[in-house]
Amino acid sequence: IRLYILGGKLKNMFCLFSSQSIGIDITDYSLRLVMLSKKGKSIILEGYSEVFLAPEIVVNGEIKDSQKFSEAISKLIKNIKGNKKIKGEIIASPPEKQTFTVLVDNNEKIQNLDKKTEEIPEIILNNVKNYIPISIDNIYLDWRTVDKNKILITASPKTIIDNYTTAFGKSNLPLTVIDIKTAAILRSIVVNKPKNKNSKLVIHIGESYSSIILGNNDVIEFTMNISLTNQMINNITSKKSNLSLPRTKKIKNNKIDTTKQILNEYLNELVKNIKKVILFYAENNTNHGLIDNITICGAGAMLKDIDKLLKDRLKMEVKIGDPLINIDKNLLKIKNSISFTTAIGMALRGL
């Protein structure tokens, strides 16, 4: 996998593999770190950490105050539970709203690609121009063949990537690998089975950004942004129940009828969007089986019985994802691991 800029090759951030790697999930409200190692065939969770951010440090995924971000990174490392010795590739991802993914399918030119070329192939350039709403001069571009009939293209604005690499540089923790959040999420909660071609439907309810993800292993086929986020759940529940945020969390954990009533319209909208994605898959993947189950992950998945609420509306299996499904030895409590889904997926990328 290569990362390009037009007119030359940028330092390769995607071909690095290590016996130890560190994934750092950046949101507007928090930083989460997971450190994994690989010994033989076993993947071990060596350490994890979490710190919360003041509102002005990261805004809409962009690091606005690199000095305070650097201080937060230092605190994140200091607070690691487990192995405190930082070692391996540092992996993070740009905000989802600033990442563009295109899956090129069933094009005869794909089979004739020269994978060793230093130039960007014509089919890649054409799809970037057609589907990515930013000039190719202003993006960092990456692509890889998924199989003989598909190419996955990803791109992000140079300003965003440079913003991240600069901020990490100031923290003395140089960023070495750029990953895609949605790919990291799939990689974390789906068992890697190359022969299984049926796609999975995942609902990621993050702190400040959520999406419906359709994909297989870490290959993204389709994503849809959704409005329901964990921060929104907290704010709505707090406002409508006239409770402080700490007491709101107790309601989220204990009273399904209260949350069902308060979030009813938002859950209905989510169900409507899920049905649209299922229909899209059915119409465009006639050779594969239908989507018959859904996995929920992210901080919002900790809302009590959200799986049951969606199951009742969709009349299909809905389960809470297990981000530790690919981890053989673990020191993170299972009930807390769901918030570390993205960080775990990023660290898996490095291995």
Side-chain angles (χ1 to χ4, degrees), residues 1-4 9-17 115 141-146 152-154 177-179 187 218 349:
I1 302 175
R2 292 156 291 184
L3 186 64
Y4 288 97
K9 192 173 183 181
L10 188 70
K11 178 182 177 182
N12 191 334
M13 291 185 175
F14 286 77
C15 285
L16 301 172
F17 295 91
K115 296 180 182 179
L141 172 67
D142 182 39
W143 63 273
R144 68 180 168 109
T145 53
V146 178
L152 186 67
I153 304 170
T154 60
V177 183
I178 298 292
D179 197 10
R187 191 182 304 117
D218 63 350
R349 175 63 180 268

Side-chain angles (χ1 to χ4, degrees), residues 200-217:
K200 306 295 187 294
L201 189 62
V202 175
I203 314 299
H204 178 254
I205 305 176
E207 291 285 357
S208 56
Y209 190 79
S210 301
S211 56
I212 301 174
I213 307 166
L214 185 64
N216 193 355
N217 297 325

Side-chain angles (χ1 to χ4, degrees), residues 232-273:
M232 179 185 288
I233 291 172
N234 287 338
N235 291 338
I236 293 171
T237 307
S238 176
K239 183 177 180 180
K240 291 193 175 184
S241 59
N242 293 316
L243 295 174
S244 63
L245 284 177
R247 293 191 65 194
T248 293
K249 292 180 180 179
K250 290 184 179 180
I251 283 186
K252 285 173 61 181
N253 291 332
N254 297 311
K255 296 185 178 180
I256 184 173
D257 291 336
T258 303
T259 52
K260 180 179 179 181
Q261 181 180 1
I262 290 174
L263 298 174
N264 185 60
E265 62 180 291
Y266 299 95
L267 291 174
N268 287 339
E269 181 186 0
L270 176 58
V271 167
K272 193 179 299 183
N273 287 328

Side-chain angles (χ1 to χ4, degrees), residues 282-314:
E283 291 176 346
N284 290 276
N285 294 274
T286 54
N287 295 329
H288 296 163
L290 297 176
I291 297 291
D292 59 3
N293 67 84
I294 294 170
T295 302
I296 311 175
C297 63
M302 297 175 71
L303 175 66
K304 183 174 176 59
D305 289 325
I306 189 171
D307 52 336
K308 294 178 182 178
L309 292 173
L310 290 176
K311 182 179 181 179
D312 289 343
R313 287 167 166 79
L314 291 164

Side-chain angles (χ1 to χ4, degrees), residues 111-125:
Q111 300 180 34
N112 299 320
L113 280 181
D114 180 3
K115 296 180 182 179
K116 296 181 180 180
T117 181
E118 292 294 322
E119 300 298 326
I120 304 176
E122 180 183 1
I123 186 173
I124 304 295
L125 287 173

